[in-house]
Amino acid sequence: MTAISSYARALAVATGTAAPTATVRHAHLSARPFVLVPLTLAGEANAPLAAMVGTAWDEATLLVVAQPRNRDLRFAFADQLAQIMLPHVLGFAAATEELTSGPRSLDAPQLIVPNPAGVEFVRLFARSTRFRSTEGEYAVAPNVPVLGRWLTFFAERAEIPGSSLMLAVTDLLGLHWATGQSALEDANLAALLGWIDPPPGLRGAAAARLAEDPRHCPPAGPTTDPGFDTEQLAPAIAAYDTAVAAAAADPAAGSAGVARAVTRLENLLRTQLQPTWDLVWRALDLLDGLPPGASVPARWETDRARYTGFHTYMVEEGLPQARRDGAVTAARRLNRIEQAQAAYDADRAFDDPLVMAQHRVTGEAFSGTVVAVERDRRIPNGRGKGRLVTRPLLTVRTEDPIRLTVGAKVVASSRRRQECVIEAIDIPPEGGGLLITLEARSGMGRSAVPAPGTVAEVGESLCYSAVLADGVRSAPMPDTADTPWTHGGPPEPYEPTEKDTAEAWE
Amino acid sequence: MSAVGEIAGLAGSAGSAGSAGLSPAAQAEAVTLAILDDLRAGRHRGVIVDSPPGAGKSTLVVRTAAVLAASGAPLMIVAQTNEQVDDLVERLSARLADELPAARIGRLGRTGYLPSARLAGLSNVVTASDVDSLGEPEVTISTAAKWAYVREGTWPWAIVDEAYQMRSDTLLAIAARFERALFVGDPGQLDPFSTVTGDRWHGLVWNPMQSAVAVLQRNNPDLPVHRLPVSWRLPRTAQDVVADAFYPFTGFRTGTGFGERGLVVPGPAESPVDDVLDVAATTGWGLLELPARHTMRTDAEAVAAVAQLTRRILERGTLATSGGERTRITPGRIAVGAAHRDQVVAIRAALGGLAATEGDADHPAAGSGSGAGAFGASGAGPGSAGWDGQVVVDTANRLQGREYEITVVLHPLSGRRDATAFHLEAGRLCVLASRHRQACLVVARAGIRELLDAHPTSDPVHLGEPVRFPDGWAANQAMLAHLATSRVQL
């Protein structure tokens, strides 16, 4: 926890409502997000029980697995989900723009789940569907493995910091507000929203307490409330089983009974899903009220490019993603995630003064006023030959408690293309604070004299940060086929086989 | 040396049981010969050498490099930082100049690399930023980060130094460059880290978040592992506590016995800070305990206490005893360690001109520039003039592999409200508690034991993932229990 977020939490306790920790929205929000609120059956590994899905608040579709232990019904659920979701997901692929690096879609689908456990559900559900065979024994509908591959794509993008293709609402809210409760309690969507947007007349703590009562506010899933499971769900599923057995004995008379049992389950599960569904949309509305950060569109562009890239892959090859990463894939992915994390941290600080404040508190950033500029300074380039390079000097006066040292690289939030290096830190003869002398190294155009406006003027207020994206390209990795002996040697190339789908079905 | 030769025949790995009656030097020599024998025999593609703190790891690397260079096969050496590379180049250059005057050492640097001043005068060292410009030296040496960009050529032999500090993905990037390799490192030190959580790779034998040695062993379980048995750096007073807390299964012994090392502190003690120094003079350990309080990371009182303690070591004219000789401790022989960068900067500022500035530690030959920390300019202490060198203040990560007479440590858990995996990591504490030849002085707020009791290790255990030993929580408890006997309250 940073000093600012600790302070914001204390503030939230004192005032009774959540305190903002961001002034802008750090994620892209789609105009038509695909919201998925899943529920699973207790005691079964990731067995879907029900889901509420849709792209608008008032257009929810309820999907129910009447007997989650029946695999045929589970994959029928996957097929139903695919029939709703795939047209939406694929619908963004047609409209593209041509870039030098290839086509990129103009917009991309966005998948929203209530919490990180929802992301985990999607990941595992994707894994259980993407390898299924559409022919032979235990065939599933053709849509099911395609859905699995797309859900895998979304779940893997959710691991990349700064990506908005798949978002968990509690994470998103926690990024923008601090509540007066613990991080564990913040994982409860209803309690979190109780702090951020309490009902009239209630303080955050009271609203959160109310939200924690499962009878008043069912959990946001995928795990259901145990009380609900025993008292309501178990009898309803048992009634369904009885009805199915009766229908098997007497198909003519029994089918109406099965339909009744399914309707009863649907009504029951709707009571558990509808409150969370409403909370998700309320949260999206709240987040929509924040202006997007300056770097959000650029990150969404990356997401769009990834979407188009995966769409092309699905059209051209479409093999399921491997069960687990090989040595080379894992190393590459780790490097990619680390770079994305560094870039995202830097972006958020530059976009948002409140995030930057965290770095100012720790002394990794400072804000100040330019008091002197040596604009036309030219020095030897250090490589001999007597060439001179333009290296203006700026002196900035700051009151911030900086912990940077001479030689540190900093960039100003308002001049992000210009890298500066701290040349000296002095105590001014009078007036307190510190005088930081910076050498501007880039972003001044190609001519000998800096282009107009590229060097800050005396009197300008700037905020410099040393939290920068890691510009270093990560080391090239060998090809998978050349995996060295230290890492187990080259792996067997993956060939989908019948065995991939072999499992105990019933 | 004939006796040693016989021993080498008997000693397989560094079994301390079989060689209990031997002198430390003979024990160490036996293990070294066993390592060289394993390398020469070529039975395995890799040989792993575990080394406790100060057990002559660099000496082993230099000696092995000389042996391999003499055999005529080109050798590559991989170290983790430029500082480590330059240290090795310097030592290897001296050794080869004696033994193999014709041999050349190639020092590979990044683009635009300028050799540091201490390498400039070495006639058998060539420097360049690409392999081709080096000619074909007998030994090519660089950092792992630079080796990753060498895309061609294969060396029959590699020595990977500080292999436990290297991440598995870095090894993956360079492994194609060598056929066989010696991996040397200290398993008790800090694991390599990442800014992200890698849950998706748990249980994979090539998990990229592991250290290079961990991934190597899990993929090649048959590789021989040797252990250097003797720490030449640590004093006898540190043997039991460091071995118990951080090397519970393998242990080590120190090269010196009780009474051979120690501090002599002239003059009477004037304050609790002086008292803790007096305690450390006899026990080798000192704990200066501040009143319990939850604080920000840069706890102003603790930082001031660290600075005050460091100053008093110098002001009182502390002498170090070693091998019957007494030498005055200079600032350059003291290190101050902390867990976080901001704590380091705060301590540097509190020490003023006494502290080495950022970067000096990495390039000892570089002049100390204009900047003495943000708050340093006014804080330069009286009397800092006239002492040789400056006190190195740094994080545990950057103190790895270094050696000083006295270390002053700001305890990673001091003043904290919670104990995270970062602060509990055994390697962090191990680095901080094993840099000293004479004494280790710890500054901490009271209440760490209660904090530990409130935060037992709760990391999930993953299938297929080796359990980390030693456990940071247990190591912290063991360390605190020992420090409690050398405690002075402020």
Side-chain angles (χ1 to χ4, degrees), chain B residues 219-392:
Chain B
N219 283 290
N220 304 275
D222 300 335
L223 296 187
V225 180
H226 295 270
R227 288 189 190 88
L228 297 181
V230 182
S231 171
W232 301 103
R233 171 196 307 148
L234 289 172
R236 180 66 181 81
T237 47
Q239 175 180 307
D240 299 331
V241 56
V242 174
D244 284 355
F246 305 109
Y247 303 85
F249 303 124
T250 53
F252 61 85
R253 64 177 290 184
T254 52
T256 53
F258 282 115
E260 289 183 53
R261 298 257 183 88
L263 296 176
V264 177
V265 193
E270 293 167 8
S271 65
V273 171
D274 284 2
D275 290 339
V276 80
L277 196 51
D278 288 344
V279 170
T282 49
T283 66
W285 297 93
L287 171 64
L288 182 62
E289 194 173 76
L290 279 68
R293 202 183 140 197
H294 294 305
T295 63
M296 297 286 285
R297 274 203 325 223
T298 50
D299 179 357
E301 288 171 6
V303 166
V306 168
Q308 176 66 8
L309 189 51
T310 311
R311 280 181 203 288
R312 288 302 289 164
I313 296 168
L314 296 162
E315 285 169 358
R316 294 180 72 189
T318 309
L319 303 168
T321 315
S322 182
E325 283 181 38
R326 284 184 178 183
T327 42
R328 173 120 186 223
I329 291 186
T330 56
R333 298 301 302 146
I334 304 176
V336 180
H340 291 283
R341 297 288 298 273
D342 50 1
Q343 294 171 337
V344 164
V345 176
I347 295 169
R348 278 191 195 140
L351 282 171
L354 201 52
T357 49
E358 172 98 27
D360 282 6
D362 285 333
H363 309 285
S368 57
S370 52
F375 300 115
S378 63
S384 62
W387 282 325
D388 294 335
Q390 288 174 306
V391 177
V392 168

Side-chain angles (χ1 to χ4, degrees), chain B residues 51-54 186-191 233-234 238 241-248 252 285 396-397 399-402 407 409 411-412 422-436 440 468-472 475-476 479:
Chain B
S51 160
D186 180 350
Q189 299 217 352
L190 277 166
D191 268 350
R233 171 196 307 148
L234 289 172
V241 56
V242 174
D244 284 355
F246 305 109
Y247 303 85
F252 61 85
W285 297 93
N397 300 58
L399 289 175
Q400 293 194 98
R402 312 273 194 82
T407 51
V409 174
H411 197 288
F422 175 90
H423 299 95
L424 282 179
E425 191 176 346
R428 182 160 283 100
L429 193 61
C430 180
V431 169
L432 294 171
S434 62
R435 300 302 98 203
H436 61 282
C440 177
R468 284 279 299 144
F469 274 107
D471 174 64
N476 265 287
M479 197 73 207

Side-chain angles (χ1 to χ4, degrees), chain A residues 1 3 123 155-156 159 161 322-335 337-339 341-342 345 361-362 382 400-406 423-427 434 472-479 482-489 491, chain B residues 45-46 145 148-149 151 167-173 175-176 178-181 183 193-198 200-201 204-209 215-217 219-220 223 296-298 341-343 345-346 348-349 358 370-378:
Chain A
M1 252 194 330
R123 192 181 72 78
E156 289 190 346
E159 290 177 16
R323 274 174 197 274
R324 44 185 81 88
D325 291 345
V328 174
T329 318
R332 285 198 181 129
R333 194 191 300 270
L334 174 60
N335 289 330
I337 294 177
E338 284 182 325
Q339 284 187 347
Q341 181 74 57
D345 288 346
V361 170
T362 56
D400 288 351
I402 81 152
R403 300 208 188 282
L404 298 168
T405 48
V406 170
E423 288 288 300
I425 299 168
D426 302 297
I427 293 177
L434 289 167
V472 183
R473 206 157 43 90
S474 54
M477 292 291 163
D479 289 336
D482 299 329
T483 306
W485 62 273
T486 54
H487 288 64
Chain B
R45 294 197 74 170
Y149 287 93
R151 301 314 294 158
R167 220 166 61 181
S168 145
D169 57 331
T170 315
L171 177 63
L172 178 65
F178 56 80
E179 285 164 14
R180 291 163 191 279
F183 296 85
F193 76 103
S194 171
T195 49
V196 302
T197 52
R200 67 179 291 138
W201 300 298
L204 295 182
V205 290
W206 48 71
N207 182 347
M209 316 275 282
V215 82
L216 183 74
Q217 282 188 300
N219 283 290
N220 304 275
L223 296 187
M296 297 286 285
R297 274 203 325 223
T298 50
R341 297 288 298 273
D342 50 1
Q343 294 171 337
V345 176
R348 278 191 195 140
E358 172 98 27
S370 52
F375 300 115
S378 63

Side-chain angles (χ1 to χ4, degrees), chain B residues 32-54:
Chain B
T32 305
L33 291 176
I35 294 164
L36 291 175
D37 183 51
D38 247 346
L39 288 176
R40 263 193 293 262
R43 284 183 295 265
H44 304 278
R45 294 197 74 170
V47 175
I48 299 166
V49 178
D50 286 357
S51 160

